[in-house]
Amino acid sequence: QVQLVESGGGLVQAGGSLRLSCAASGFTFSNYAMGWFRQAPGKEREFVAAISSIGGTAFAYSVKGRFAIARDNVKNTLVLQMNSLRPEDTAVYYCASSRTFAVERRTGEYYYWGQGTQVTVSS
Protein backbone atom coordinates (compact mmCIF):
# COMPACT_ATOMS: atom_id res chain seq x y z
CA GLN A 1 0.00 0.00 0.00
CA VAL A 2 1.44 3.33 -1.07
CA GLN A 3 1.78 5.93 1.65
CA LEU A 4 3.06 9.49 1.50
CA VAL A 5 3.17 11.22 4.88
CA GLU A 6 4.08 14.89 5.11
CA SER A 7 5.41 16.60 8.21
CA GLY A 8 7.04 19.86 9.20
CA GLY A 9 4.32 22.38 8.57
CA GLY A 10 3.44 25.10 11.03
CA LEU A 11 3.18 28.80 11.71
CA VAL A 12 6.11 31.06 10.88
CA GLN A 13 6.65 34.78 10.52
CA ALA A 14 7.35 36.32 7.14
CA GLY A 15 11.02 35.96 6.29
CA GLY A 16 11.33 32.75 8.26
CA SER A 17 12.03 29.19 7.16
CA LEU A 18 10.35 25.80 7.35
CA ARG A 19 11.46 22.35 6.26
CA LEU A 20 8.82 19.94 5.04
CA SER A 21 9.45 16.21 4.86
CA CYS A 22 7.58 13.45 3.09
CA ALA A 23 8.08 9.83 4.09
CA ALA A 24 7.26 7.43 1.25
CA SER A 25 6.50 3.73 1.41
CA GLY A 26 4.83 0.98 -0.59
CA PHE A 27 6.53 1.64 -3.93
CA THR A 28 10.01 1.85 -5.44
CA PHE A 29 10.67 5.46 -4.46
CA SER A 30 13.93 5.77 -6.39
CA ASN A 31 12.23 5.03 -9.72
CA TYR A 32 9.85 7.98 -9.74
CA ALA A 33 9.91 11.73 -9.83
CA MET A 34 8.41 13.42 -6.79
CA GLY A 35 6.75 16.75 -6.37
CA TRP A 36 5.41 19.31 -3.94
CA PHE A 37 2.16 21.12 -4.58
CA ARG A 38 0.16 23.58 -2.52
CA GLN A 39 -3.41 24.72 -2.25
CA ALA A 40 -4.55 27.95 -0.63
CA PRO A 41 -8.17 28.50 0.44
CA GLY A 42 -10.37 29.18 -2.55
CA LYS A 43 -7.60 28.47 -5.05
CA GLU A 44 -6.64 25.54 -7.23
CA ARG A 45 -3.82 23.23 -6.29
CA GLU A 46 -0.60 24.51 -7.83
CA PHE A 47 2.85 23.17 -8.60
CA VAL A 48 5.66 24.21 -6.25
CA ALA A 49 8.67 22.02 -6.99
CA ALA A 50 9.64 18.66 -8.44
CA ILE A 51 12.65 16.39 -8.53
CA SER A 52 13.38 13.62 -10.98
CA SER A 53 14.44 10.13 -9.98
CA ILE A 54 18.09 11.13 -10.46
CA GLY A 55 17.93 14.62 -8.94
CA GLY A 56 16.95 17.04 -11.68
CA THR A 57 14.75 19.81 -10.30
CA ALA A 58 12.11 22.31 -11.34
CA PHE A 59 10.46 25.12 -9.42
CA ALA A 60 7.48 27.39 -9.77
CA TYR A 61 8.55 30.92 -10.63
CA SER A 62 7.06 32.22 -7.39
CA VAL A 63 9.37 30.10 -5.23
CA LYS A 64 12.51 29.89 -7.33
CA GLY A 65 15.54 31.03 -5.36
CA ARG A 66 13.72 30.67 -2.04
CA PHE A 67 12.77 26.98 -1.95
CA ALA A 68 14.93 23.89 -2.43
CA ILE A 69 13.87 20.30 -3.04
CA ALA A 70 15.88 17.19 -2.28
CA ARG A 71 15.39 13.47 -2.02
CA ASP A 72 17.07 10.60 -0.21
CA ASN A 73 16.57 7.41 -2.22
CA VAL A 74 17.93 5.30 0.64
CA LYS A 75 15.61 6.67 3.30
CA ASN A 76 12.71 7.12 0.84
CA THR A 77 12.30 10.71 1.92
CA LEU A 78 11.47 13.92 0.06
CA VAL A 79 12.28 17.32 1.54
CA LEU A 80 11.20 20.87 0.74
CA GLN A 81 13.33 23.57 2.34
CA MET A 82 11.42 26.84 2.34
CA ASN A 83 13.29 30.07 3.06
CA SER A 84 12.31 33.74 2.98
CA LEU A 85 8.70 32.76 3.43
CA ARG A 86 5.95 35.20 2.49
CA PRO A 87 2.31 35.43 3.55
CA GLU A 88 1.33 34.35 0.04
CA ASP A 89 3.09 31.03 0.65
CA THR A 90 0.34 30.14 3.14
CA ALA A 91 -1.34 26.93 1.96
CA VAL A 92 -1.68 23.23 2.54
CA TYR A 93 1.39 21.59 1.05
CA TYR A 94 1.13 18.16 -0.56
CA CYS A 95 3.75 15.60 -1.47
CA ALA A 96 3.05 13.52 -4.57
CA SER A 97 4.65 10.74 -6.58
CA SER A 98 4.76 10.99 -10.34
CA ARG A 99 3.83 8.39 -12.94
CA THR A 100 7.29 8.73 -14.49
CA PHE A 101 10.96 9.29 -13.68
CA ALA A 102 11.23 12.75 -15.24
CA VAL A 103 10.42 16.12 -13.69
CA GLU A 104 6.76 16.97 -14.18
CA ARG A 105 4.80 20.12 -13.35
CA ARG A 106 1.30 18.92 -14.26
CA THR A 107 -0.92 17.84 -11.40
CA GLY A 108 -2.52 15.13 -13.53
CA GLU A 109 0.80 13.36 -13.95
CA TYR A 110 1.02 12.59 -10.24
CA TYR A 111 -0.57 9.38 -9.12
CA TYR A 112 -0.27 9.22 -5.32
CA TRP A 113 -0.77 12.08 -2.89
CA GLY A 114 -0.15 12.67 0.78
CA GLN A 115 -2.72 14.12 3.16
CA GLY A 116 -1.06 17.53 3.25
CA THR A 117 0.52 19.71 5.90
CA GLN A 118 -0.52 23.26 6.72
CA VAL A 119 1.95 26.10 6.30
CA THR A 120 0.91 29.50 7.62
CA VAL A 121 3.08 32.58 7.17
CA SER A 122 2.14 35.61 9.21
CA SER A 123 2.95 39.15 8.14
Side-chain angles (χ1 to χ4, degrees):
Q1 181 182 356
V2 173
Q3 280 195 312
L4 297 172
V5 180
E6 302 97 335
S7 60
L11 173 65
V12 64
Q13 287 189 333
S17 299
L18 279 176
R19 184 179 177 90
L20 304 184
S21 294
C22 174
S25 61
F27 66 107
T28 307
F29 179 80
S30 59
N31 285 358
Y32 297 95
M34 298 293 295
W36 287 99
F37 291 77
R38 67 187 181 187
Q39 188 166 17
K43 294 189 176 181
E44 292 189 355
R45 191 169 298 189
E46 66 174 3
F47 170 77
V48 175
I51 186 166
S52 74
S53 62
I54 58 171
T57 60
F59 295 91
Y61 178 80
S62 60
V63 307
K64 199 167 187 179
R66 300 188 297 122
F67 290 13
I69 187 171
R71 65 189 297 159
D72 185 329
N73 286 342
V74 175
K75 295 181 178 179
N76 291 353
T77 300
L78 179 70
V79 171
L80 184 70
Q81 178 66 42
M82 306 186 294
N83 300 322
S84 302
L85 283 161
R86 304 167 180 169
E88 54 264 39
D89 294 319
T90 295
V92 176
Y93 283 71
Y94 297 90
C95 163
S97 63
S98 174
R99 302 174 186 268
T100 181
F101 61 90
V103 164
E104 179 57 64
R105 295 171 180 262
R106 294 172 292 179
T107 305
E109 293 302 309
Y110 286 80
Y111 196 65
Y112 294 108
W113 294 80
Q115 82 288 351
T117 185
Q118 176 71 47
V119 171
T120 303
V121 184
S122 64
S123 57

Short mmCIF file of all heavy atoms in Angstrom, two decimals, residues 20-86:
data_model
loop_
_atom_site.label_atom_id
_atom_site.label_comp_id
_atom_site.label_asym_id
_atom_site.label_seq_id
_atom_site.Cartn_x
_atom_site.Cartn_y
_atom_site.Cartn_z
N LEU A 20 9.84 20.98 5.14
CA LEU A 20 8.82 19.94 5.04
C LEU A 20 9.49 18.63 4.64
O LEU A 20 10.41 18.61 3.83
CB LEU A 20 7.77 20.30 3.99
CG LEU A 20 7.05 21.63 4.17
CD1 LEU A 20 5.98 21.78 3.08
CD2 LEU A 20 6.47 21.79 5.54
N SER A 21 8.98 17.55 5.21
CA SER A 21 9.45 16.21 4.86
C SER A 21 8.28 15.36 4.41
O SER A 21 7.14 15.58 4.83
CB SER A 21 10.13 15.55 6.04
OG SER A 21 11.32 16.20 6.40
N CYS A 22 8.59 14.40 3.56
CA CYS A 22 7.58 13.45 3.09
C CYS A 22 8.20 12.06 3.15
O CYS A 22 9.20 11.79 2.48
CB CYS A 22 7.17 13.79 1.67
SG CYS A 22 6.06 12.59 0.89
N ALA A 23 7.62 11.21 3.97
CA ALA A 23 8.08 9.83 4.09
C ALA A 23 7.26 8.95 3.15
O ALA A 23 6.02 8.92 3.26
CB ALA A 23 7.94 9.36 5.53
N ALA A 24 7.94 8.25 2.25
CA ALA A 24 7.26 7.43 1.25
C ALA A 24 7.45 5.95 1.54
O ALA A 24 8.52 5.52 1.99
CB ALA A 24 7.80 7.76 -0.13
N SER A 25 6.42 5.18 1.26
CA SER A 25 6.50 3.73 1.41
C SER A 25 5.51 3.05 0.48
O SER A 25 4.58 3.69 -0.01
CB SER A 25 6.22 3.32 2.87
OG SER A 25 4.91 3.71 3.24
N GLY A 26 5.76 1.76 0.22
CA GLY A 26 4.83 0.98 -0.59
C GLY A 26 5.09 0.99 -2.07
O GLY A 26 4.32 0.41 -2.84
N PHE A 27 6.16 1.66 -2.51
CA PHE A 27 6.53 1.64 -3.93
C PHE A 27 8.03 1.88 -4.03
O PHE A 27 8.68 2.23 -3.05
CB PHE A 27 5.74 2.69 -4.72
CG PHE A 27 6.05 4.12 -4.39
CD1 PHE A 27 6.79 4.93 -5.24
CD2 PHE A 27 5.60 4.69 -3.21
CE1 PHE A 27 7.06 6.25 -4.95
CE2 PHE A 27 5.87 6.01 -2.89
CZ PHE A 27 6.61 6.79 -3.76
N THR A 28 8.57 1.68 -5.23
CA THR A 28 10.01 1.85 -5.44
C THR A 28 10.30 3.34 -5.63
O THR A 28 10.32 3.86 -6.75
CB THR A 28 10.48 1.04 -6.64
OG1 THR A 28 10.07 -0.32 -6.49
CG2 THR A 28 12.01 1.07 -6.73
N PHE A 29 10.52 4.00 -4.51
CA PHE A 29 10.67 5.46 -4.46
C PHE A 29 11.71 5.96 -5.46
O PHE A 29 11.49 6.96 -6.15
CB PHE A 29 11.07 5.85 -3.03
CG PHE A 29 11.28 7.30 -2.79
CD1 PHE A 29 10.21 8.16 -2.60
CD2 PHE A 29 12.57 7.83 -2.73
CE1 PHE A 29 10.41 9.51 -2.36
CE2 PHE A 29 12.77 9.18 -2.48
CZ PHE A 29 11.68 10.02 -2.31
N SER A 30 12.82 5.28 -5.57
CA SER A 30 13.93 5.77 -6.39
C SER A 30 13.62 5.78 -7.88
O SER A 30 14.34 6.41 -8.65
CB SER A 30 15.18 4.92 -6.13
OG SER A 30 14.93 3.57 -6.44
N ASN A 31 12.56 5.11 -8.30
CA ASN A 31 12.23 5.03 -9.72
C ASN A 31 11.39 6.19 -10.23
O ASN A 31 11.24 6.34 -11.45
CB ASN A 31 11.45 3.74 -10.02
CG ASN A 31 12.33 2.52 -10.01
OD1 ASN A 31 13.54 2.61 -9.83
ND2 ASN A 31 11.73 1.36 -10.20
N TYR A 32 10.85 7.00 -9.33
CA TYR A 32 9.85 7.98 -9.74
C TYR A 32 10.23 9.40 -9.34
O TYR A 32 10.83 9.63 -8.29
CB TYR A 32 8.49 7.63 -9.14
CG TYR A 32 7.97 6.31 -9.63
CD1 TYR A 32 8.18 5.14 -8.90
CD2 TYR A 32 7.32 6.21 -10.86
CE1 TYR A 32 7.74 3.92 -9.37
CE2 TYR A 32 6.87 5.00 -11.33
CZ TYR A 32 7.08 3.85 -10.59
OH TYR A 32 6.65 2.65 -11.07
N ALA A 33 9.82 10.33 -10.21
CA ALA A 33 9.91 11.73 -9.83
C ALA A 33 8.92 12.02 -8.71
O ALA A 33 7.89 11.34 -8.59
CB ALA A 33 9.60 12.61 -11.04
N MET A 34 9.26 13.02 -7.90
CA MET A 34 8.41 13.42 -6.79
C MET A 34 8.17 14.92 -6.87
O MET A 34 8.99 15.67 -7.41
CB MET A 34 9.08 13.08 -5.47
CG MET A 34 9.33 11.61 -5.23
SD MET A 34 7.81 10.67 -5.02
CE MET A 34 7.17 11.36 -3.49
N GLY A 35 7.05 15.34 -6.30
CA GLY A 35 6.75 16.75 -6.37
C GLY A 35 6.08 17.27 -5.11
O GLY A 35 5.56 16.50 -4.30
N TRP A 36 6.15 18.58 -4.97
CA TRP A 36 5.41 19.31 -3.94
C TRP A 36 4.41 20.23 -4.63
O TRP A 36 4.77 20.94 -5.59
CB TRP A 36 6.35 20.13 -3.07
CG TRP A 36 7.19 19.34 -2.13
CD1 TRP A 36 8.48 18.96 -2.30
CD2 TRP A 36 6.79 18.83 -0.84
NE1 TRP A 36 8.92 18.24 -1.22
CE2 TRP A 36 7.91 18.16 -0.30
CE3 TRP A 36 5.62 18.89 -0.08
CZ2 TRP A 36 7.87 17.53 0.95
CZ3 TRP A 36 5.58 18.28 1.15
CH2 TRP A 36 6.70 17.61 1.66
N PHE A 37 3.21 20.24 -4.10
CA PHE A 37 2.16 21.12 -4.58
C PHE A 37 1.57 21.83 -3.38
O PHE A 37 1.79 21.42 -2.24
CB PHE A 37 1.07 20.32 -5.31
CG PHE A 37 1.53 19.72 -6.61
CD1 PHE A 37 2.33 18.60 -6.64
CD2 PHE A 37 1.16 20.31 -7.81
CE1 PHE A 37 2.77 18.06 -7.84
CE2 PHE A 37 1.58 19.78 -9.02
CZ PHE A 37 2.39 18.66 -9.03
N ARG A 38 0.82 22.89 -3.62
CA ARG A 38 0.16 23.58 -2.52
C ARG A 38 -1.21 24.07 -2.96
O ARG A 38 -1.46 24.30 -4.15
CB ARG A 38 1.02 24.74 -2.01
CG ARG A 38 1.19 25.87 -2.99
CD ARG A 38 2.19 26.89 -2.45
NE ARG A 38 2.37 28.03 -3.35
CZ ARG A 38 3.29 28.96 -3.17
NH1 ARG A 38 4.11 28.92 -2.12
NH2 ARG A 38 3.38 29.98 -4.02
N GLN A 39 -2.07 24.23 -1.97
CA GLN A 39 -3.41 24.72 -2.25
C GLN A 39 -3.83 25.69 -1.15
O GLN A 39 -3.91 25.31 0.02
CB GLN A 39 -4.41 23.57 -2.35
CG GLN A 39 -5.78 23.99 -2.82
CD GLN A 39 -6.64 22.81 -3.22
OE1 GLN A 39 -6.38 21.67 -2.87
NE2 GLN A 39 -7.68 23.09 -4.00
N ALA A 40 -4.07 26.92 -1.55
CA ALA A 40 -4.55 27.95 -0.63
C ALA A 40 -6.08 27.96 -0.65
O ALA A 40 -6.69 27.52 -1.63
CB ALA A 40 -4.00 29.30 -1.04
N PRO A 41 -6.71 28.46 0.39
CA PRO A 41 -8.17 28.50 0.44
C PRO A 41 -8.75 29.22 -0.77
O PRO A 41 -8.31 30.32 -1.11
CB PRO A 41 -8.46 29.26 1.73
CG PRO A 41 -7.27 29.02 2.59
CD PRO A 41 -6.11 28.97 1.65
N GLY A 42 -9.71 28.58 -1.41
CA GLY A 42 -10.37 29.18 -2.55
C GLY A 42 -9.59 29.16 -3.84
O GLY A 42 -10.03 29.74 -4.84
N LYS A 43 -8.43 28.52 -3.84
CA LYS A 43 -7.60 28.47 -5.05
C LYS A 43 -7.37 27.04 -5.48
O LYS A 43 -7.54 26.10 -4.70
CB LYS A 43 -6.26 29.17 -4.79
CG LYS A 43 -6.37 30.65 -4.53
CD LYS A 43 -5.01 31.30 -4.49
CE LYS A 43 -5.11 32.81 -4.33
NZ LYS A 43 -3.78 33.46 -4.31
N GLU A 44 -6.96 26.88 -6.72
CA GLU A 44 -6.64 25.54 -7.23
C GLU A 44 -5.29 25.09 -6.69
O GLU A 44 -4.42 25.91 -6.35
CB GLU A 44 -6.63 25.57 -8.76
CG GLU A 44 -7.99 25.77 -9.37
CD GLU A 44 -7.98 25.58 -10.87
OE1 GLU A 44 -6.90 25.37 -11.44
OE2 GLU A 44 -9.07 25.65 -11.46
N ARG A 45 -5.11 23.79 -6.67
CA ARG A 45 -3.82 23.23 -6.29
C ARG A 45 -2.79 23.63 -7.34
O ARG A 45 -3.05 23.54 -8.55
CB ARG A 45 -3.91 21.71 -6.17
CG ARG A 45 -2.71 21.07 -5.54
CD ARG A 45 -2.99 19.61 -5.21
NE ARG A 45 -4.08 19.45 -4.25
CZ ARG A 45 -4.40 18.30 -3.68
NH1 ARG A 45 -3.71 17.20 -3.96
NH2 ARG A 45 -5.41 18.23 -2.84
N GLU A 46 -1.62 24.05 -6.89
CA GLU A 46 -0.60 24.51 -7.83
C GLU A 46 0.75 23.85 -7.57
O GLU A 46 1.07 23.47 -6.45
CB GLU A 46 -0.44 26.04 -7.74
CG GLU A 46 0.10 26.55 -6.43
CD GLU A 46 0.37 28.06 -6.44
OE1 GLU A 46 0.09 28.73 -7.45
OE2 GLU A 46 0.89 28.56 -5.42
N PHE A 47 1.50 23.74 -8.64
CA PHE A 47 2.85 23.17 -8.60
C PHE A 47 3.78 24.08 -7.81
O PHE A 47 3.75 25.31 -7.96
CB PHE A 47 3.35 23.00 -10.03
CG PHE A 47 4.80 22.65 -10.15
CD1 PHE A 47 5.22 21.36 -9.89
CD2 PHE A 47 5.73 23.60 -10.51
CE1 PHE A 47 6.57 21.02 -10.00
CE2 PHE A 47 7.07 23.28 -10.62
CZ PHE A 47 7.48 21.98 -10.36
N VAL A 48 4.63 23.47 -6.99
CA VAL A 48 5.66 24.21 -6.25
C VAL A 48 7.05 23.81 -6.72
O VAL A 48 7.85 24.65 -7.12
CB VAL A 48 5.52 23.96 -4.74
CG1 VAL A 48 6.67 24.63 -3.99
CG2 VAL A 48 4.17 24.45 -4.22
N ALA A 49 7.34 22.50 -6.64
CA ALA A 49 8.67 22.02 -6.99
C ALA A 49 8.61 20.54 -7.31
O ALA A 49 7.71 19.84 -6.84
CB ALA A 49 9.66 22.27 -5.86
N ALA A 50 9.57 20.08 -8.11
CA ALA A 50 9.64 18.66 -8.44
C ALA A 50 11.08 18.24 -8.58
O ALA A 50 11.96 19.08 -8.86
CB ALA A 50 8.87 18.35 -9.72
N ILE A 51 11.31 16.95 -8.39
CA ILE A 51 12.65 16.39 -8.53
C ILE A 51 12.55 15.07 -9.25
O ILE A 51 11.69 14.24 -8.93
CB ILE A 51 13.34 16.27 -7.15
CG1 ILE A 51 14.79 15.82 -7.30
CG2 ILE A 51 12.57 15.37 -6.21
CD1 ILE A 51 15.61 16.00 -6.00
N SER A 52 13.41 14.86 -10.22
CA SER A 52 13.38 13.62 -10.98
C SER A 52 13.98 12.49 -10.15
O SER A 52 14.53 12.70 -9.07
CB SER A 52 14.16 13.78 -12.28
OG SER A 52 15.55 13.80 -12.02
N SER A 53 13.92 11.28 -10.70
CA SER A 53 14.44 10.13 -9.98
C SER A 53 15.95 10.25 -9.75
O SER A 53 16.48 9.67 -8.80
CB SER A 53 14.13 8.85 -10.73
OG SER A 53 14.74 8.86 -12.01
N ILE A 54 16.63 11.02 -10.59
CA ILE A 54 18.09 11.13 -10.46
C ILE A 54 18.52 12.53 -10.00
O ILE A 54 19.71 12.84 -10.00
CB ILE A 54 18.81 10.76 -11.76
CG1 ILE A 54 18.34 11.66 -12.91
CG2 ILE A 54 18.61 9.30 -12.09
CD1 ILE A 54 19.16 11.50 -14.18
N GLY A 55 17.57 13.37 -9.58
CA GLY A 55 17.93 14.62 -8.94
C GLY A 55 17.74 15.90 -9.74
O GLY A 55 18.03 16.98 -9.21
N GLY A 56 17.26 15.82 -10.95
CA GLY A 56 16.95 17.04 -11.68
C GLY A 56 15.78 17.74 -11.04
O GLY A 56 14.87 17.08 -10.53
N THR A 57 15.79 19.07 -11.04
CA THR A 57 14.75 19.81 -10.30
C THR A 57 14.05 20.84 -11.17
O THR A 57 14.57 21.28 -12.21
CB THR A 57 15.35 20.53 -9.08
OG1 THR A 57 16.36 21.45 -9.52
CG2 THR A 57 15.95 19.55 -8.09
N ALA A 58 12.87 21.23 -10.73
CA ALA A 58 12.11 22.31 -11.34
C ALA A 58 11.32 23.01 -10.25
O ALA A 58 10.92 22.38 -9.27
CB ALA A 58 11.17 21.77 -12.41
N PHE A 59 11.14 24.32 -10.44
CA PHE A 59 10.46 25.12 -9.42
C PHE A 59 9.44 26.04 -10.08
O PHE A 59 9.64 26.50 -11.21
CB PHE A 59 11.46 25.97 -8.64
CG PHE A 59 12.43 25.17 -7.83
CD1 PHE A 59 13.64 24.78 -8.38
CD2 PHE A 59 12.13 24.80 -6.53
CE1 PHE A 59 14.54 24.02 -7.66
CE2 PHE A 59 13.03 24.04 -5.79
CZ PHE A 59 14.23 23.65 -6.35
N ALA A 60 8.39 26.34 -9.35
CA ALA A 60 7.48 27.39 -9.77
C ALA A 60 8.22 28.72 -9.71
O ALA A 60 9.08 28.92 -8.85
CB ALA A 60 6.26 27.43 -8.87
N TYR A 61 7.87 29.62 -10.60
CA TYR A 61 8.55 30.92 -10.63
C TYR A 61 8.43 31.64 -9.30
O TYR A 61 9.39 32.30 -8.85
CB TYR A 61 7.94 31.77 -11.75
CG TYR A 61 8.54 33.14 -11.85
CD1 TYR A 61 9.76 33.34 -12.49
CD2 TYR A 61 7.90 34.25 -11.29
CE1 TYR A 61 10.32 34.60 -12.59
CE2 TYR A 61 8.45 35.51 -11.38
CZ TYR A 61 9.66 35.68 -12.02
OH TYR A 61 10.22 36.93 -12.10
N SER A 62 7.31 31.48 -8.63
CA SER A 62 7.06 32.22 -7.39
C SER A 62 7.94 31.77 -6.23
O SER A 62 8.09 32.51 -5.25
CB SER A 62 5.59 32.07 -6.98
OG SER A 62 5.26 30.70 -6.78
N VAL A 63 8.55 30.59 -6.33
CA VAL A 63 9.37 30.10 -5.23
C VAL A 63 10.83 29.92 -5.61
O VAL A 63 11.66 29.63 -4.75
CB VAL A 63 8.83 28.76 -4.67
CG1 VAL A 63 7.35 28.88 -4.32
CG2 VAL A 63 9.07 27.61 -5.63
N LYS A 64 11.14 30.11 -6.87
CA LYS A 64 12.51 29.89 -7.33
C LYS A 64 13.47 30.83 -6.60
O LYS A 64 13.21 32.02 -6.45
CB LYS A 64 12.59 30.12 -8.84
CG LYS A 64 13.81 29.49 -9.48
CD LYS A 64 13.67 29.47 -10.99
CE LYS A 64 14.81 28.71 -11.61
NZ LYS A 64 14.71 28.63 -13.09
N GLY A 65 14.57 30.26 -6.11
CA GLY A 65 15.54 31.03 -5.36
C GLY A 65 15.27 31.07 -3.87
O GLY A 65 16.13 31.47 -3.08
N ARG A 66 14.07 30.69 -3.47
CA ARG A 66 13.72 30.67 -2.04
C ARG A 66 13.53 29.24 -1.51
O ARG A 66 13.80 28.98 -0.34
CB ARG A 66 12.42 31.44 -1.81
CG ARG A 66 12.48 32.90 -2.21
CD ARG A 66 11.23 33.66 -1.78
NE ARG A 66 10.01 33.16 -2.42
CZ ARG A 66 8.95 32.71 -1.75
NH1 ARG A 66 8.95 32.68 -0.42
NH2 ARG A 66 7.87 32.29 -2.40
N PHE A 67 13.04 28.36 -2.35
CA PHE A 67 12.77 26.98 -1.95
C PHE A 67 13.81 26.05 -2.58
O PHE A 67 14.30 26.31 -3.68
CB PHE A 67 11.39 26.55 -2.41
CG PHE A 67 10.24 27.19 -1.68
CD1 PHE A 67 10.41 28.29 -0.86
CD2 PHE A 67 8.95 26.68 -1.84
CE1 PHE A 67 9.35 28.88 -0.19
CE2 PHE A 67 7.87 27.25 -1.18
CZ PHE A 67 8.08 28.36 -0.37
N ALA A 68 14.07 24.95 -1.90
CA ALA A 68 14.93 23.89 -2.43
C ALA A 68 14.24 22.55 -2.21
O ALA A 68 13.53 22.36 -1.22
CB ALA A 68 16.29 23.91 -1.75
N ILE A 69 14.45 21.64 -3.15
CA ILE A 69 13.87 20.30 -3.04
C ILE A 69 15.00 19.28 -3.10
O ILE A 69 15.98 19.47 -3.82
CB ILE A 69 12.84 20.05 -4.17
CG1 ILE A 69 12.10 18.74 -3.94
CG2 ILE A 69 13.48 20.12 -5.55
CD1 ILE A 69 10.92 18.54 -4.90
N ALA A 70 14.85 18.23 -2.32
CA ALA A 70 15.88 17.19 -2.28
C ALA A 70 15.21 15.86 -1.97
O ALA A 70 14.11 15.82 -1.43
CB ALA A 70 16.94 17.52 -1.24
N ARG A 71 15.92 14.80 -2.32
CA ARG A 71 15.39 13.47 -2.02
C ARG A 71 16.51 12.56 -1.53
O ARG A 71 17.68 12.74 -1.89
CB ARG A 71 14.74 12.85 -3.26
CG ARG A 71 15.68 12.57 -4.42
CD ARG A 71 14.91 12.16 -5.68
NE ARG A 71 14.18 10.92 -5.46
CZ ARG A 71 13.13 10.57 -6.21
NH1 ARG A 71 12.71 11.35 -7.19
NH2 ARG A 71 12.51 9.43 -5.96
N ASP A 72 16.13 11.61 -0.70
CA ASP A 72 17.07 10.60 -0.21
C ASP A 72 16.49 9.25 -0.64
O ASP A 72 15.50 8.78 -0.06
CB ASP A 72 17.19 10.69 1.31
CG ASP A 72 18.23 9.75 1.87
OD1 ASP A 72 18.44 8.66 1.27
OD2 ASP A 72 18.82 10.07 2.91
N ASN A 73 17.09 8.66 -1.67
CA ASN A 73 16.57 7.41 -2.22
C ASN A 73 16.88 6.19 -1.36
O ASN A 73 16.41 5.09 -1.67
CB ASN A 73 17.09 7.20 -3.64
CG ASN A 73 16.42 8.12 -4.65
OD1 ASN A 73 15.36 8.67 -4.38
ND2 ASN A 73 17.04 8.29 -5.80
N VAL A 74 17.67 6.38 -0.32
CA VAL A 74 17.93 5.30 0.64
C VAL A 74 16.87 5.32 1.74
O VAL A 74 16.31 4.29 2.11
CB VAL A 74 19.34 5.42 1.24
CG1 VAL A 74 19.54 4.37 2.33
CG2 VAL A 74 20.39 5.26 0.15
N LYS A 75 16.60 6.53 2.23
CA LYS A 75 15.61 6.67 3.30
C LYS A 75 14.19 6.86 2.78
O LYS A 75 13.25 6.98 3.56
CB LYS A 75 15.99 7.86 4.19
CG LYS A 75 17.30 7.68 4.93
CD LYS A 75 17.62 8.88 5.81
CE LYS A 75 18.90 8.69 6.59
NZ LYS A 75 19.23 9.87 7.43
N ASN A 76 14.04 6.92 1.44
CA ASN A 76 12.71 7.12 0.84
C ASN A 76 12.03 8.38 1.38
O ASN A 76 10.86 8.35 1.80
CB ASN A 76 11.82 5.90 1.06
CG ASN A 76 12.27 4.69 0.27
OD1 ASN A 76 13.18 4.79 -0.55
ND2 ASN A 76 11.64 3.57 0.50
N THR A 77 12.78 9.46 1.35
CA THR A 77 12.30 10.71 1.92
C THR A 77 12.46 11.84 0.91
O THR A 77 13.47 11.93 0.21
CB THR A 77 13.07 11.05 3.20
OG1 THR A 77 12.88 9.99 4.15
CG2 THR A 77 12.58 12.35 3.81
N LEU A 78 11.46 12.71 0.89
CA LEU A 78 11.47 13.92 0.06
C LEU A 78 11.43 15.11 1.00
O LEU A 78 10.70 15.09 2.01
CB LEU A 78 10.24 13.92 -0.85
CG LEU A 78 10.05 15.11 -1.77
CD1 LEU A 78 11.10 15.11 -2.87
CD2 LEU A 78 8.65 15.13 -2.35
N VAL A 79 12.19 16.14 0.68
CA VAL A 79 12.28 17.32 1.54
C VAL A 79 12.03 18.58 0.71
O VAL A 79 12.45 18.67 -0.43
CB VAL A 79 13.67 17.40 2.20
CG1 VAL A 79 13.85 18.72 2.91
CG2 VAL A 79 13.87 16.25 3.18
N LEU A 80 11.35 19.53 1.32
CA LEU A 80 11.20 20.87 0.74
C LEU A 80 11.68 21.87 1.77
O LEU A 80 11.07 22.03 2.82
CB LEU A 80 9.75 21.14 0.37
CG LEU A 80 9.51 22.49 -0.34
CD1 LEU A 80 10.12 22.46 -1.74
CD2 LEU A 80 8.02 22.82 -0.40
N GLN A 81 12.79 22.52 1.48
CA GLN A 81 13.33 23.57 2.34
C GLN A 81 12.78 24.90 1.85
O GLN A 81 13.02 25.29 0.70
CB GLN A 81 14.86 23.57 2.30
CG GLN A 81 15.49 24.67 3.13
CD GLN A 81 15.25 24.51 4.63
OE1 GLN A 81 15.34 23.40 5.16
NE2 GLN A 81 14.94 25.61 5.30
N MET A 82 12.07 25.58 2.72
CA MET A 82 11.42 26.84 2.34
C MET A 82 12.04 27.99 3.14
O MET A 82 11.95 28.00 4.37
CB MET A 82 9.92 26.75 2.62
CG MET A 82 9.25 25.55 1.95
SD MET A 82 7.46 25.56 2.13
CE MET A 82 7.31 25.35 3.89
N ASN A 83 12.66 28.91 2.44
CA ASN A 83 13.29 30.07 3.06
C ASN A 83 12.61 31.35 2.60
O ASN A 83 11.88 31.35 1.61
CB ASN A 83 14.77 30.11 2.70
CG ASN A 83 15.53 28.87 3.14
OD1 ASN A 83 15.27 28.33 4.22
ND2 ASN A 83 16.47 28.43 2.33
N SER A 84 12.87 32.42 3.32
CA SER A 84 12.31 33.74 2.98
C SER A 84 10.80 33.64 2.72
O SER A 84 10.29 34.14 1.71
CB SER A 84 13.02 34.31 1.74
OG SER A 84 14.40 34.42 1.97
N LEU A 85 10.12 33.00 3.62
CA LEU A 85 8.70 32.76 3.43
C LEU A 85 7.89 34.06 3.44
O LEU A 85 8.24 35.02 4.15
CB LEU A 85 8.17 31.81 4.50
CG LEU A 85 8.54 30.34 4.24
CD1 LEU A 85 8.41 29.51 5.52
CD2 LEU A 85 7.66 29.76 3.15
N ARG A 86 6.84 34.05 2.65
CA ARG A 86 5.95 35.20 2.49
C ARG A 86 4.54 34.81 2.86
O ARG A 86 4.17 33.63 2.77
CB ARG A 86 5.98 35.66 1.04
CG ARG A 86 7.36 35.99 0.49
CD ARG A 86 7.34 36.13 -1.01
NE ARG A 86 8.65 36.43 -1.56
CZ ARG A 86 8.95 36.39 -2.86
NH1 ARG A 86 8.01 36.07 -3.74
NH2 ARG A 86 10.16 36.70 -3.27
#
